[in-house]
Amino acid sequence: MKLSAFKLELPEDKIAKYPVENRDESKLMVLHRDTGEIEHKVFKDIVDYFDEGDVMVNNDTKVFPARLYGQKEKTGAQIEVFLLRELNSEMHLWDVLVDPARKIRVGNKLYFGEGELVAEVIDNTTSRGRTIRFLYDGSDEEFYKTIDTLGETPLPRTIPRETEPEDRERFQTIYAKHVGAVAAPVAGLHFTHQVLKRLEIKGVDVTPITLHIGLGTFRPVDVEDLTKHKMDSENYTILDPTADIVNKALDNKKRVCSIGTTSMRALESSVSASDRLKANSAWTDKFIFPPYEFKICNALVTNFHLPESTLLMQAAAFAGYDLMMEAYQTAIKEDYRFFSYGDAMLII
């Protein structure tokens, strides 16, 4: 498929600036792949579509405050440093993006807060990318506590407002556990403890995988031929209990629902020769776009994504291109809210 197939006229006011007050009261669009029917519900109604023995797979990655603001030594110029991934925990080596990049050269020192944290630039990676080393003598726990204190929640720049203190809690799923993501698995933001309890009472298994979401998820596709696009690698872990639960559901022809495209990428990156889920810990750069034959999941919860994004392409691969494009036009007409803080879609 071509990039231009995913071009949509999305009015800017459709991008949600803030989440709804109650997580499970977002709108929920339900797409039926077999009939093409489109239903309009509220997210907490999702429980009605699942029965005993069905499985939901969520992503329990935890967002850390990856955006730091520091000063360059001598000049005092303000520099934004976006932490992408830790390369070496003993040396506190990180891949980062810096802005403005033209001011940052190898050998420069950067100071954060009142000097609680100091970093040295040791390499250039891309035009905005650098490798930095934090000069820190404390324990790992103290280091991350300092990052947590000084850092800012990394809301995507496409949300048209400044980050606020409330975002630290809202841009995080209620089941977030393993620190490592620079963006939330946004389909999971709609879940509440009440929804999870109702699913448990119905006998639905909710089981985790971990995929640490990087900025590459939001990197624009700049090639018309989608086969030429290269995804950034992201680290994922699927443990034996999750693999066992999912495979049992597949054997019993039950519903296996991925909560979000990130969970789906991890699941589709770890498929056995017999089309069953393998426990695994690895990196994936899998790019899913139409046409694609899904091996593990037969249901998907996802948000409404931006035009020409890899997230929209993956959702379209699952729903079917024509149905997804119809759903997006319907969402615009029916005033659904788009992007990270927006409404949800269930594809069954």
Side-chain angles (χ1 to χ4, degrees):
M1 291 206 76
K2 304 296 185 186
L3 174 65
S4 52
F6 295 93
K7 195 180 288 288
L8 286 164
E9 290 299 322
L10 179 66
E12 193 171 308
D13 64 0
K14 301 297 181 191
I15 297 176
K17 288 185 179 181
Y18 294 93
V20 293
E21 185 174 350
N22 298 314
R23 290 174 183 262
D24 58 9
E25 291 180 359
S26 297
K27 290 183 180 180
L28 176 71
M29 180 184 286
V30 183
L31 300 190
H32 295 263
R33 294 186 293 173
D34 53 350
T35 65
E37 181 188 2
I38 297 176
E39 295 183 278
H40 303 289
K41 300 286 184 176
V42 177
F43 188 80
K44 56 185 157 188
D45 297 332
I46 196 169
V47 178
D48 300 336
Y49 294 88
F50 293 87
D51 294 307
E52 185 174 356
D54 290 340
V55 174
M56 287 185 171
V57 183
N58 61 29
N59 184 359
D60 65 4
T61 188
K62 189 171 187 177
V63 180
F64 68 98
R67 187 173 281 127
L68 296 171
Y69 293 97
Q71 289 79 41
K72 185 180 172 185
E73 64 174 339
K74 296 178 183 174
T75 68
Q78 178 159 298
I79 305 294
E80 178 186 316
V81 175
F82 197 104
L83 304 175
L84 294 177
R85 64 182 65 86
E86 190 174 39
L87 301 174
N88 184 304
S89 59
E90 286 184 20
M91 298 178 65
H92 298 305
L93 281 182
W94 285 75
D95 260 344
V96 303
L97 296 177
V98 294
D99 189 30
R102 68 182 184 279
K103 294 185 176 181
I104 300 301
R105 296 182 172 85
V106 173
N108 287 159
K109 281 194 173 69
L110 304 173
Y111 294 84
F112 303 93
E114 301 296 322
E116 297 101 306
L117 212 50
V118 181
E120 182 180 12
V121 180
I122 64 172
D123 199 8
N124 299 320
T125 53
T126 63
S127 58
R128 287 182 56 216
R130 302 289 186 271
T131 300
I132 68 172
R133 178 174 62 232
F134 286 103
L135 309 176
Y136 194 83
D137 293 330
S139 67
D140 279 356
E141 186 180 350
E142 290 167 332
F143 173 73
Y144 279 105
K145 195 174 287 186
T146 304
I147 293 286
D148 194 62
T149 301
L150 297 177
E152 179 182 278
T153 300
L155 280 192
R157 291 298 193 193
T158 36
I159 293 179
R161 66 170 174 84
E162 293 298 313
T163 300
E164 298 175 9
E166 291 76 14
D167 292 311
R168 183 161 288 215
E169 183 263 334
R170 278 306 265 113
F171 197 56
Q172 194 84 268
T173 64
I174 61 167
Y175 46 74
K177 187 175 182 181
H178 300 292
V179 174
V182 301
V186 296
L189 295 180
H190 307 282
F191 281 86
T192 60
H193 293 294
Q194 290 83 358
V195 168
L196 291 176
K197 189 64 180 177
R198 288 172 60 212
L199 289 166
E200 180 189 338
I201 291 169
K202 285 193 80 171
V204 178
D205 283 311
V206 181
T207 187
I209 60 94
T210 305
L211 182 140
H212 293 312
I213 303 164
L215 270 190
T217 295
F218 304 109
R219 185 159 59 85
V221 179
D222 55 10
V223 289
E224 177 67 4
D225 180 355
L226 297 184
T227 63
K228 301 287 196 295
H229 179 68
K230 177 76 169 167
M231 293 285 285
D232 291 357
S233 290
E234 294 171 321
N235 184 250
Y236 73 91
T237 300
I238 300 170
L239 298 178
D240 283 315
T242 290
D244 292 342
I245 289 169
V246 168
N247 290 333
K248 180 182 177 184
L250 291 174
D251 292 340
N252 292 331
K253 297 186 166 32
K254 294 292 186 179
R255 190 162 275 167
V256 176
C257 180
S258 174
I259 308 305
T261 55
T262 57
S263 297
M264 183 83 88
R265 285 185 68 223
L267 296 170
E268 290 295 313
S269 297
S270 194
V271 180
S272 72
S274 57
D275 290 345
R276 290 296 182 263
L277 184 62
K278 297 186 299 185
N280 199 8
S281 185
W283 292 80
T284 180
D285 60 358
K286 195 173 191 67
F287 177 30
I288 298 174
F289 59 93
Y292 181 86
E293 183 182 346
F294 289 85
K295 300 293 196 303
I296 303 297
C297 294
N298 46 41
L300 171 67
V301 177
T302 189
N303 273 31
F304 289 88
H305 306 293
L306 298 187
E308 298 184 305
S309 66
T310 60
L311 305 173
L312 169 56
M313 293 166 193
Q314 183 174 326
F318 189 76
Y321 173 80
D322 291 337
L323 180 58
M324 182 57 69
M325 292 302 108
E326 179 190 351
Y328 267 55
Q329 293 299 341
T330 301
I332 293 169
K333 179 182 168 188
E334 297 293 332
D335 206 28
Y336 277 72
R337 304 162 75 250
F338 280 67
F339 205 42
S340 298
Y341 275 150
D343 294 315
M345 175 187 288
L346 170 64
I347 307 169
I348 51 178

